[in-house]
Amino acid sequence: MLPSLTLQFLCYSSPFQRTHCLSTTTTTTSATSAAVCQSESSLRKTMDRLTENARLMIVSDLDHTMVDHHDPENLSLLRFNALWEANYRSNSLLVFSTGRSPTLYKELRKEKPMLTPDITIMSVGTEITYGNSMEPDNGWLDFLNQKWDRNIVSEETSKITELTLQSETEQRPHKLSFYVQKDKAEDIMRSLSSCLKERGLDVKIIYSGGMDLDILPQGAGKGQALAYLHEKFKAEGKLPKNTLVCGDSGNDAELFTIPDVHGVMVSNAMEELLQWHAIYAKNNPKIIHAKERCASGIIQAIGHFNLGPGISPRDVSDLSDSKLENFDPAYEVVKFYLFYERWRLAEIEKSELYMANMKAVCSKSGILVHPSGIEKHLHDCVDSLRACYGDKRGQPFRVWVDQVLPVQVGSDAWLVKFKKWEQSGGERVCCLTTALLSSKDVTVADGLTWVHVHQTWLNEASCNAGWLF
Ligand code: GLC
Ligand code: MG
């Protein structure tokens, strides 16, 4: 394929618009005006959680980037999760940027052990939401209304028989999506672009995954949405110290054009993205093509660019041996539940030493308020765990924690809130957990002591008779 055609193939619009889509300067400027007039309290909460500029902002695509659909055990995702919660959650920002609509995004979250992002960008950068409640950024929606009329797009596309409409859920206020055969895509994009221009619209047409064709307002797209977020953070003096963008397909290309970002194309990236990179970004040392697939490629990039800790606790076989300089409650929580998973899977030796260690890290008078409401001594819980050695051996059993957020409540005490997930076969349960951890009378090498744990089912359906802690 000729270089000039590759670009058009990926993201076709008029020459001016094409520059707009890929030139970093224009991207930032156009996003600014909309960014400045925004001040949502939901975004404020996201910003206020960080006491200083985020150490790292990861902006990752989901399908075939964060989520590996060819990895039924989700091992690379779980490796990333452990690394993020142990080392980044409290000082960094996790942003998911997906082509999926809110409906399909929520379905994916039910299928895969995904973390909760701080910001969710959906429908190819046309919808931005903040926090757990996914509060929409209405200013972004207003901005996208410029030179956009979905009825006209709908009218014009209905005349093209080669375009097959995607499911109803994927048709959004600022996104119309179709399937089109690879060999027809380029011509259709070219003719659509000029006819919509004649009708007074300014659109962006993106081809991804060798089959999906999205039509969006010109100002939309994953890259533009990121530029808009950067502007907002900058306006508050909270621009992240580093941003790492991660992707695998056509609609991710513009992420790599945002100024100053580091980028990783995962090893399994699609031809369309690799071709775009070969032509437009080959000499940019801040973009790598990872050797590893999906989330493992993201971990590889963190290490490659030196963006912070790069070893997932899941890759540490003897966790009792891990060296820390300071007490780290988030790391402690991740470590605790990794041990718990390994014990039940019999992936570690059945040694009384481990049980003695568990008892040592649980305060003698410590209590667990079990999600059923019953109070138990932490030491009795450890005894129950002893009896469960290997009870999940060879089974699809996984444990992960999400949104581990410690707050220091005294000179030697931390209150850590997190969601603890446990998946056994097809069943998946979660408890909102609050744990009081103390560093009183222990050294960093001993780790922190668990003083009190309180758990609540995330929802009724979570109630599970076999829940230990
Ligand atoms: C996701 C969306 C789809 C879109 C594609 C490429 O698969 O569900 O509507 O066309 O991403 O952006
Ligand atoms: Mg993808």
Side-chain angles (χ1 to χ4, degrees):
M1 194 182 290
L2 290 171
S4 60
L5 291 181
T6 315
L7 166 62
Q8 292 170 7
F9 195 50
L10 200 61
C11 175
Y12 193 88
S13 41
S14 75
F16 159 70
Q17 292 153 359
R18 208 181 311 143
T19 323
H20 186 101
C21 153
L22 292 163
S23 137
T24 51
T25 335
T26 326
T27 300
T28 322
T29 322
S30 63
T32 314
S33 51
V36 170
C37 57
Q38 287 309 304
S39 64
E40 295 82 10
S41 61
S42 41
L43 172 64
R44 183 146 306 287
K45 271 191 226 149
T46 307
M47 287 187 186
D48 289 350
R49 185 173 69 67
L50 302 169
T51 47
E52 50 181 304
N53 305 51
R55 167 201 257 179
L56 178 62
M57 181 191 218
I58 285 198
V59 182
S60 179
D61 167 52
L62 296 177
D63 296 288
H64 309 289
T65 301
M66 185 58 81
V67 173
D68 190 347
H69 292 285
H70 297 286
D71 175 10
E73 293 207 56
N74 302 305
L75 286 181
S76 62
L77 181 55
L78 290 164
R79 284 179 69 216
F80 175 84
N81 292 357
L83 174 65
W84 190 259
E85 295 301 334
N87 299 100
Y88 292 93
R89 174 63 78 175
S90 59
N91 55 28
S92 296
L93 286 166
L94 185 61
V95 182
F96 288 161
S97 186
T98 178
R100 290 180 178 237
S101 62
T103 307
L104 288 194
Y105 167 65
K106 285 170 193 162
E107 274 180 24
L108 186 65
R109 293 204 57 184
K110 281 191 215 139
E111 284 162 27
K112 294 284 178 181
M114 287 160 61
L115 296 182
T116 309
D118 298 285
I119 303 175
T120 317
I121 303 173
M122 290 160 293
S123 311
V124 198
T126 62
E127 300 181 65
I128 302 177
T129 68
Y130 302 106
N132 293 5
S133 56
M134 297 180 69
E135 290 289 326
D137 187 322
N138 294 321
W140 180 240
L141 300 179
D142 291 344
F143 174 67
L144 296 184
N145 283 330
Q146 294 170 46
K147 292 202 180 177
W148 174 251
D149 184 334
R150 89 181 303 287
N151 292 332
I152 296 181
V153 181
S154 183
E155 194 188 311
E156 291 300 332
T157 47
S158 68
K159 296 176 192 159
I160 304 172
T161 53
E162 290 91 343
L163 289 177
T164 311
L165 203 60
Q166 290 184 9
S167 74
E168 198 50 49
T169 61
E170 301 316 279
Q171 313 306 329
R172 304 295 297 161
H174 298 97
K175 168 177 174 279
L176 285 89
S177 294
F178 304 85
Y179 297 118
V180 66
Q181 279 176 24
K182 233 179 188 167
D183 55 340
K184 308 254 171 62
E186 210 178 317
D187 285 346
I188 291 178
M189 286 165 91
R190 190 178 291 125
S191 64
L192 245 181
S193 180
S194 60
C195 103
L196 290 173
K197 197 175 170 211
E198 269 168 37
R199 297 210 50 187
L201 303 193
D202 194 3
V203 301
K204 181 183 281 181
I205 308 179
I206 304 180
Y207 195 57
S208 306
M211 63 183 210
D212 297 318
L213 187 135
D214 302 313
I215 308 176
L216 326 168
Q218 180 60 243
K222 290 186 175 189
Q224 300 274 36
L226 171 57
Y228 172 78
L229 287 176
H230 269 171
E231 282 303 313
K232 284 196 159 196
F233 279 94
K234 203 169 158 191
E236 297 288 326
K238 286 260 176 92
L239 191 66
K241 290 176 191 148
N242 281 301
T243 298
L244 174 67
V245 303
C246 323
D248 76 300
S249 82
N251 68 12
D252 300 316
E254 2 172 294
L255 282 173
F256 296 88
T257 70
I258 303 309
D260 302 324
V261 303
H262 292 91
V264 54
M265 303 183 291
V266 290
S267 66
N268 50 293
M270 298 212 48
E271 195 56 32
E272 66 213 11
L273 181 64
L274 297 177
Q275 277 186 3
W276 172 86
H277 173 258
I279 298 161
Y280 298 100
K282 199 173 60 199
N283 297 321
N284 182 349
K286 289 180 118 183
I287 301 177
I288 59 163
H289 182 195
K291 289 206 168 55
E292 302 211 40
R293 291 179 60 81
C294 300
S296 294
I298 302 177
I299 298 176
Q300 189 196 329
I302 291 176
H304 176 90
F305 294 121
N306 245 319
L307 300 173
I311 295 173
S312 169
R314 280 196 177 264
D315 298 331
V316 179
S317 49
D318 188 359
L319 288 161
S320 58
D321 210 25
S322 44
K323 308 228 174 350
L324 293 178
E325 279 163 25
N326 296 305
F327 286 110
D328 190 335
Y331 193 83
E332 196 70 39
V333 167
V334 171
K335 205 170 87 170
F336 187 92
Y337 283 107
L338 261 179
F339 169 80
Y340 170 92
E341 179 191 281
R342 289 172 179 178
W343 181 262
R344 296 190 67 179
L345 283 169
E347 282 181 1
I348 45 175
E349 211 185 308
K350 187 176 185 184
S351 154
E352 266 311 310
L353 269 178
Y354 284 131
M355 285 298 109
N357 189 43
M358 279 298 265
K359 285 208 169 160
V361 302
C362 291
S363 156
K364 238 189 197 141
S365 54
I367 293 286
L368 164 85
V369 181
H370 188 271
S372 62
I374 294 168
E375 286 192 15
K376 299 181 176 193
H377 279 284
L378 286 174
H379 277 206
D380 292 341
C381 297
V382 176
D383 288 334
S384 310
L385 180 63
R386 174 190 284 106
C388 289
Y389 178 82
D391 67 336
K392 301 286 181 185
R393 194 197 309 252
Q395 294 177 38
F397 175 75
R398 290 293 165 197
V399 176
W400 68 97
V401 285
D402 180 25
Q403 293 192 302
V404 181
L405 291 167
V407 177
Q408 185 149 16
V409 290
S411 58
D412 52 16
W414 286 266
L415 202 60
V416 194
K417 253 179 69 180
F418 55 95
K419 291 176 184 146
K420 184 232 159 175
W421 285 93
E422 197 166 305
Q423 171 141 14
S424 196
E427 203 196 358
R428 188 166 136 165
V429 284
C430 176
C431 267
L432 287 174
T433 306
T434 307
L436 183 65
L437 304 189
S438 164
S439 63
K440 201 164 187 271
D441 304 328
V442 286
T443 67
V444 176
D446 299 331
L448 294 154
T449 311
W450 293 64
V451 178
H452 188 90
V453 184
H454 195 136
Q455 298 190 306
T456 309
W457 297 122
L458 188 66
N459 54 41
E460 291 284 304
S462 290
C463 303
N464 173 291
W467 185 270
L468 285 178
F469 58 94

